[in-house]
Amino acid sequence: MIVQHFTYNDIQTFEQRYKAQFINSLSGFKSANLIGSHDVNANSNLGIFSSVVHIGSNPALVGFIMRPDNGERHTLNNIINTQQYTINQVSTEHYRMAHQCSARYASDESEFNHTGLTPQYVANINAPFVKESRLKYALTLQEILPISLNNTQLIIGEIIHVICQKHAIQPDGYIDIESLSTASLSGLDSYHTSNRISRLSYAKPNKALSALNVMGATVQQDEQITINDKLEAGDD
Amino acid sequence: MIVQHFTYNDIQTFEQRYKAQFINSLSGFKSANLIGSHDVNANSNLGIFSSVVHIGSNPALVGFIMRPDNGERHTLNNIINTQQYTINQVSTEHYRMAHQCSARYASDESEFNHTGLTPQYVANINAPFVKESRLKYALTLQEILPISLNNTQLIIGEIIHVICQKHAIQPDGYIDIESLSTASLSGLDSYHTSNRISRLSYAKPNKALSALNVMGATVQQDEQITINDKLEAGDD
């Protein structure tokens, strides 16, 4: 298996688009989410983001990275003006419509009209949800952290309303997003489905891990694979 | 299809562990990465993180969220002391060993010794890579942004050295991390493999998207699916 090393200087010589594809692949699989918002005239806006990240559960905080140069500044302006927005998981049935939301439409043009996605409204939430999304939530803006290194910003909101297909919610609170056909992203433009390998028990020193089923219950001992077995399996 | 709504008050009543599983499922699929570091005595440390996020390509910046309460403060102390660390993608062959790194080992105990993962060293990088990882990189600390909302921190580093299996690197710079068996995470403990649906062309207003193969080339027209077809397909 040929392994390639790239030094700092190698990376600096990459052509700009090549570098963008390469560096965007390094963080691993990314979430695919549509962020819905309204401007002051209630014009709806929808942007696709691959940088939504869990910040904490208590309080329930989710963040995303806002770039200075992408087509989604409408999203930030709307969030600042209305203090509310929605995050809608992208599923495999509508990943193309979601990707089309990255096109640079004018601020008075709604991505809903141009992509075929359907706005959905909930009382007291001043932002559109995506009807086609099977797991979505509304947030209130909590903080905007500027990242001076490259003029991006970390936008953090608190979750105030969650809409989810009931069958996916497991007894321990885990939501089986695979059963919702939630898509993942790699690089800038590659969309993927998923297959669960296993859930794993809470790790403790000097205690073997147990495989858990989707409901969070320990699976039969004879189906368990020890860490050492996995080491051999992975030893290629 | 039964859909469930959760209000802000509903979420506040969740039992703590239930809430952690539930809220951790909302951001979508997460990257699974091992962060390698050294303390001042060159004791190695390895922590698993699901919050690694792309910050920008030029300069090449990657961030991750450091919690105040997880077992990985060793990682932060090491990064502050040495200014360097590695990020190593977790693949399906060693996801169990990676998950075991979340156990709370003492600071003088190396997760490498306890999990069977193998440290790998590169000249001038003062942090261990994970030999078993097929795509990994070293970073120098650039900024630590405190998130006062929940006492977490966004740790941002610049990429200074990349090690990747050559076969995965495509002509346009995209790295086929699926061919590296890179795992994704959902919730707190569920590991997944992936299957590529398609890469998609750069989106422009009033222009139909084209499906791209893994190399970034447009696939045959008769294999193309229009956005409208996808709308019907997703209309369930």
Side-chain angles (χ1 to χ4, degrees), chain A residues 2 4-6 96 99 161-162 164 166 174 178 186 189-193 195-197 199 201 225, chain B residues 2 4-6 96 161-162 164 166 174 178 186 189-193 195-197 199 201 225:
Chain A
I2 302 169
Q4 204 160 0
H5 281 249
F6 300 89
R96 279 175 167 256
H99 188 73
H161 195 101
V162 177
C164 183
K166 187 183 176 95
Y174 171 71
E178 185 165 288
S186 67
D189 55 25
S190 183
Y191 291 83
H192 307 258
T193 62
N195 291 98
R196 178 173 292 98
I197 309 166
R199 291 183 62 183
S201 58
I225 306 164
Chain B
I2 301 168
Q4 203 160 2
H5 281 250
F6 300 89
R96 277 174 168 258
H161 194 103
V162 178
C164 184
K166 188 182 175 102
Y174 171 71
E178 185 165 287
S186 66
D189 55 25
S190 184
Y191 292 83
H192 307 257
T193 61
N195 291 98
R196 178 173 291 99
I197 310 167
R199 291 183 63 185
S201 57
I225 306 165

Side-chain angles (χ1 to χ4, degrees), chain B residues 43-64:
Chain B
N43 295 314
S44 61
N45 180 275
L46 202 56
I48 186 165
F49 288 82
S50 61
S51 59
V52 169
V53 61
H54 175 82
I55 303 289
S57 297
N58 194 20
L61 301 172
V62 170
F64 69 97

Side-chain angles (χ1 to χ4, degrees), chain A residues 8-216:
Chain A
Y8 184 82
N9 290 336
D10 293 334
I11 295 165
Q12 306 321 308
T13 64
F14 286 167
E15 180 273 329
Q16 184 187 344
R17 283 161 303 176
Y18 185 98
K19 187 176 183 182
Q21 285 283 2
F22 186 93
I23 301 299
N24 269 278
S25 304
L26 297 183
S27 52
F29 284 103
K30 307 172 179 183
S31 58
N33 289 286
L34 288 163
I35 298 186
S37 61
H38 270 162
D39 69 14
V40 288
N41 302 318
N43 295 314
S44 62
N45 180 275
L46 201 55
I48 184 164
F49 288 81
S50 62
S51 61
V52 170
V53 62
H54 174 83
I55 303 289
S57 296
N58 194 21
L61 301 172
V62 169
F64 69 96
I65 303 296
M66 175 66 60
R67 325 192 74 70
D69 58 342
N70 69 14
E72 301 307 330
R73 294 310 299 265
H74 309 150
T75 299
L76 180 58
N77 297 338
N78 291 351
I79 290 173
I80 291 170
N81 287 327
T82 67
Q83 298 286 304
Q84 290 194 350
Y85 53 108
T86 69
I87 297 182
N88 306 264
Q89 287 191 5
V90 172
S91 64
T92 56
E93 291 85 355
H94 64 275
Y95 78 101
R96 279 175 167 256
M97 291 181 277
H99 188 73
Q100 185 62 33
C101 291
S102 60
R104 296 170 183 267
Y105 295 105
S107 61
D108 61 349
E109 292 185 289
S110 172
E111 287 77 6
F112 283 109
N113 299 335
H114 288 284
T115 61
L117 291 164
T118 314
Q120 174 187 4
Y121 293 95
V122 169
N124 305 318
I125 305 295
N126 186 20
F129 290 93
V130 175
K131 176 176 178 291
E132 291 78 4
S133 177
R134 298 173 175 185
L135 172 49
K136 48 206 165 190
Y137 43 101
L139 308 94
T140 52
L141 177 63
Q142 294 296 312
E143 193 164 13
I144 298 178
L145 283 170
I147 302 172
S148 55
L149 290 163
N150 65 347
N151 298 314
T152 56
Q153 295 162 293
L154 174 63
I155 316 298
I156 302 175
E158 183 173 10
I159 295 166
I160 57 170
H161 195 101
V162 177
I163 306 173
C164 183
Q165 288 184 357
K166 187 183 176 95
H167 69 82
I169 304 169
Q170 302 303 312
D172 66 347
Y174 171 71
I175 303 176
D176 180 8
I177 63 175
E178 185 165 288
S179 75
L180 301 175
S181 303
T182 296
S184 65
L185 251 167
S186 67
L188 287 166
D189 55 25
S190 183
Y191 291 83
H192 307 258
T193 62
S194 69
N195 291 98
R196 178 173 292 98
I197 309 166
S198 176
R199 291 183 62 183
L200 291 176
S201 58
Y202 186 83
K204 294 177 179 173
N206 309 316
K207 185 171 185 301
L209 292 170
S210 300
L212 308 179
N213 64 21
V214 67
M215 298 176 70

Side-chain angles (χ1 to χ4, degrees), chain A residues 198-205 207-212 227 230, chain B residues 21 32-35 46-50 72 88-105 111 114-117 130 183-192:
Chain A
S198 176
R199 291 183 62 183
L200 291 176
S201 58
Y202 186 83
K204 294 177 179 173
K207 185 171 185 301
L209 292 170
S210 300
L212 308 179
I227 289 171
K230 268 291 171 188
Chain B
Q21 285 283 3
N33 289 287
L34 289 161
I35 298 187
L46 202 56
I48 186 165
F49 288 82
S50 61
E72 302 307 330
N88 306 264
Q89 287 191 5
V90 171
S91 64
T92 56
E93 291 85 355
H94 63 275
Y95 79 100
R96 277 174 168 258
M97 292 181 277
H99 188 74
Q100 185 62 32
C101 292
S102 60
R104 295 170 183 266
Y105 294 107
E111 287 78 6
H114 288 284
T115 61
L117 291 165
V130 175
S184 65
L185 252 167
S186 66
L188 288 167
D189 55 25
S190 184
Y191 292 83
H192 307 257

